Amino acid sequence: MKLQTPSVLLLRQALQKAARGIESKPSVALLADVLLRQNKKDGKFFFVTGTDDTQLTIPAPLDIVEGSFSKPVVLPIVSITNLLGTLPPECVLTMDLSEDESHMMNIEYCTHNGDNVKSGNISLPFFAGDDFPEARELNQEKTHISLPSSVFKSVISKAGKFVFNDDLRPILSTLCIDIAEDRSEVIFVATDGRILFKVTHSNNPETGGSNFYRSGEPTQILVHSSFFRTLSVFDDSEQIDIQTDGKAILFSGNDIEYLCKAVEGKYPNYKSVIPTNNPYYVVVDKKELISVVKRVALFSSASSNIVALKKDGMFLNVCASDIDFSKKAEDQVLITDSKCNDGFTIGFNYHNLLDTVTAIPDDTIRIQLADPSRAGVLTANTPAPTTLTLLMPILLEE
């Protein structure tokens, strides 16, 4: 049986995407390679990779040019990808898979040297696909939503900074996708207990949302942060569908599917920790604040990483010091609008402050405050911001 790809570049890109579903140390030897299977309905080929808890399915740019594909096979993904990296992108490549018990594959390709055409071939073993572990399908009763890929991509790219990376607290290692009871909005939340990230996506296209709800009961879907990297395979999709039966989650879009285990448990009541009536606020330029905090933080204590923010007229003073090494820094950020008493001072871990500021998708930041012991809330300086971050303060020594 012979399979051919129209372009080495397309095949390499497909295998690189498939490789995102492979663990560095798989529990089963076959899971270090890629399964090639054919959809019997339309004849399309797919690459399948997986772990004990996940399965990734990627369209494979291959066509049959001789013989027939009788059953799935497992291909050595590292050897093939390394070979493809040495060939010209436009090169046509053919794979001839033996149908006997030898399980040998002959790869033929052509390259050019000026007007001269050269041929080459590689022999590699492959494996029968009968023993390749495949994940179960979702149950019939499931919740189904569909989101613009741009929305989901933005959430995933930022949520990783806010989760708690600890196997002992798996719930805080997740992104919570919370579908409202009235189906009016879906809320994305990530928190490690010190900082929080929240994005609201409405079901109304007229207000910047989308008609995301498809079927099933409203629920919370908990996606473990270890799956975030693999979810980047959907970056080129226009729409991403998310389905869950409570035990597993299926992401799909553009003929790509990613099935992963759902984290079970109850997510913390994030709504109760977000202040809704902070009396004070200051509005500053995002880039200026990030630049000043990074500069001042160079002289903060390595043990505490604290920077202090102090309202001083039309400026927000940013200060840091390291008493042990006699270092100190102070700089200013221009305040464009405020309702805050002069002298108000609050301390934050500068890493957390930078993460919460960076996550706001706007050029202007509104920092809402109450007192030096209560959480600060950051949003864009707009009437109805969809993204909110929160960070807990650090009490400053007098």
Side-chain angles (χ1 to χ4, degrees):
M1 176 196 62
K2 286 188 178 181
L3 300 173
Q4 189 174 80
T5 180
S7 162
V8 160
L9 176 61
L10 293 177
L11 183 59
R12 186 171 73 243
Q13 289 175 339
L15 286 172
Q16 287 172 339
K17 282 187 176 182
R20 297 179 199 177
I22 300 176
E23 286 182 316
S24 57
K25 296 181 180 179
S27 59
V28 180
L30 283 178
L31 291 177
D33 291 317
V34 59
L35 180 74
L36 176 65
R37 71 182 182 195
Q38 185 183 35
N39 187 327
K40 297 303 181 183
K41 292 182 179 180
D42 55 18
K44 292 182 179 179
F45 285 95
F46 292 89
F47 291 131
V48 180
T49 54
T51 68
D52 293 337
D53 299 324
T54 68
Q55 180 173 292
L56 176 63
T57 305
I58 301 287
L62 293 168
D63 297 300
I64 295 178
V65 293
E66 184 179 306
S68 61
F69 192 85
S70 57
K71 56 184 179 180
V73 296
V74 178
L75 305 178
I77 187 171
V78 174
S79 296
I80 296 176
T81 303
N82 288 343
L83 168 64
L84 298 178
T86 68
L87 295 174
E90 69 281 358
C91 180
V92 176
L93 181 144
T94 302
M95 296 189 294
D96 189 354
L97 282 70
S98 66
E99 299 184 21
D100 55 29
E101 295 300 321
S102 66
H103 287 164
M104 291 299 296
M105 170 177 57
N106 190 53
I107 301 177
E108 301 173 352
Y109 56 88
C110 293
T111 56
H112 294 265
N113 184 353
D115 295 331
N116 299 313
V117 179
K118 305 181 299 177
S119 63
N121 67 84
I122 305 289
S123 292
L124 289 172
F126 67 91
F127 310 96
D130 300 336
D131 297 328
F132 191 89
E134 292 200 59
R136 70 170 184 86
E137 295 183 355
L138 295 183
N139 296 327
Q140 290 299 317
E141 293 186 7
K142 54 184 178 287
T143 299
H144 182 187
I145 61 174
S146 183
L147 297 163
S149 182
S150 58
V151 173
F152 191 70
K153 176 183 176 181
S154 175
V155 169
I156 289 294
S157 67
K158 296 171 182 176
K161 294 282 188 179
F162 293 81
V163 296
F164 192 79
N165 295 311
D166 190 341
D167 292 338
L168 298 177
R169 304 177 70 183
I171 297 295
L172 292 184
S173 299
T174 68
L175 168 70
C176 175
I177 304 175
D178 190 4
I179 305 169
E181 288 291 335
D182 61 0
R183 303 169 176 81
S184 63
E185 61 186 17
V186 58
I187 301 173
F188 303 92
V189 183
T191 182
D192 64 2
R194 298 165 298 177
I195 55 177
L196 180 144
F197 169 70
K198 172 176 171 279
V199 174
T200 302
H201 183 74
S202 77
N203 201 28
N204 185 359
E206 295 181 0
T207 59
S210 65
N211 185 19
F212 66 82
Y213 179 77
R214 293 294 180 267
S215 64
E217 294 299 318
T219 187
Q220 288 186 341
I221 305 171
L222 304 185
V223 184
H224 198 276
S225 58
S226 60
F227 304 145
F228 289 0
R229 172 181 170 272
T230 308
L231 287 168
S232 63
V233 298
F234 294 101
D235 286 355
D236 296 331
S237 303
E238 291 187 5
Q239 201 78 6
I240 181 167
D241 286 74
I242 305 173
Q243 304 175 64
T244 184
D245 60 4
K247 299 293 184 181
I249 310 167
L250 177 64
F251 300 89
S252 58
N254 211 24
D255 285 337
I256 299 173
E257 290 187 350
Y258 183 53
L259 184 67
C260 61
K261 182 180 178 181
V263 176
E264 298 183 49
K266 186 173 179 60
Y267 201 75
N269 183 7
Y270 61 88
K271 295 178 181 178
S272 66
V273 302
I274 301 175
T276 57
N277 56 352
N278 278 358
Y280 308 126
Y281 69 87
V282 293
V283 178
V284 296
D285 179 79
K286 177 181 176 178
K287 289 183 178 179
E288 184 183 6
L289 178 60
I290 290 175
S291 176
V292 168
V293 170
K294 284 183 176 180
R295 183 160 52 247
V296 170
L298 295 173
F299 305 93
S300 66
S301 169
S303 60
S304 64
N305 298 313
I306 296 175
V307 294
L309 308 183
K310 180 180 179 180
K311 170 73 164 51
D312 184 14
M314 61 185 293
F315 294 104
L316 184 67
N317 289 350
V318 182
C319 311
S321 63
D322 188 341
I323 298 176
D324 295 335
F325 293 92
S326 302
K327 296 189 295 185
K328 184 177 181 181
E330 182 174 342
D331 206 330
Q332 295 180 317
V333 177
L334 179 66
I335 296 174
T336 57
D337 188 18
S338 71
K339 180 185 176 184
C340 185
N341 298 327
D342 276 359
F344 182 97
T345 306
I346 190 168
F348 294 115
N349 176 293
Y350 80 83
H351 294 292
N352 293 343
L353 178 59
L354 289 173
D355 287 341
T356 53
V357 171
T358 303
I360 303 299
D362 199 84
D363 294 334
T364 308
I365 303 292
R366 175 183 285 252
I367 307 174
Q368 302 174 48
L369 304 162
D371 63 61
S373 65
R374 295 175 61 186
V377 175
L378 285 71
T379 66
N381 188 37
T382 55
T386 57
T387 301
L388 172 152
T389 58
L390 173 149
L391 75 161
M392 297 301 297
I394 299 176
L395 293 179
L396 301 170
E397 297 181 3
E398 295 295 336

